[in-house]
Amino acid sequence: MSLCALKVGATFPALVARFGGFEDWIIQRLGPVQGRTVRVIDPRSDALPDPASLAGVVITGSHAMVSDRAPWSEACAAWLAAAVLGICDGHQLLAHALGGAVG
């Protein structure tokens, strides 16, 4: 199983030329994580894989805004909701971390 760098945007061209794109930064910082490769998926043009085929997901930054409700962004949101599993306190912690209300 590979890790996934979900590339939801690109940085400025001058930064890409000097340091690479967001996905390159992620791959460089992750390094070899238990020998796993990192698959770069761009949901603006690529199909989202079955979450069960991935060991983990890291989402890049973007100049886009979630509040724009772009179709690719909405599809990512639904996919992420299906990809993340929290059990008991875990799902409460995830909701809290993502700005949700926990009672």
Side-chain angles (χ1 to χ4, degrees):
M1 294 176 71
S2 61
L3 297 168
C4 173
L6 197 61
K7 181 180 178 173
V8 297
T11 190
F12 300 106
L15 290 176
V16 172
R18 189 161 178 202
F19 303 109
F22 289 143
E23 68 279 15
D24 299 309
W25 304 354
I26 290 168
I27 292 167
Q28 180 184 18
R29 292 293 181 225
L30 284 176
V33 180
Q34 297 178 350
R36 298 182 194 279
T37 59
V38 179
R39 290 174 51 192
V40 177
I41 304 292
D42 186 335
R44 298 167 298 170
S45 58
D46 301 332
L48 293 167
D50 178 355
S53 71
L54 303 171
V57 178
V58 179
I59 307 167
T60 70
S62 177
H63 297 289
M65 296 294 295
V66 171
S67 57
D68 291 341
R69 305 276 190 226
W72 66 265
S73 182
E74 293 295 293
C76 278
W79 181 81
L80 286 167
V84 175
L85 171 64
I87 299 171
C88 197
D89 184 62
H91 77 274
Q92 294 176 52
L93 186 56
L94 282 169
H96 172 68
L98 299 172
V102 177

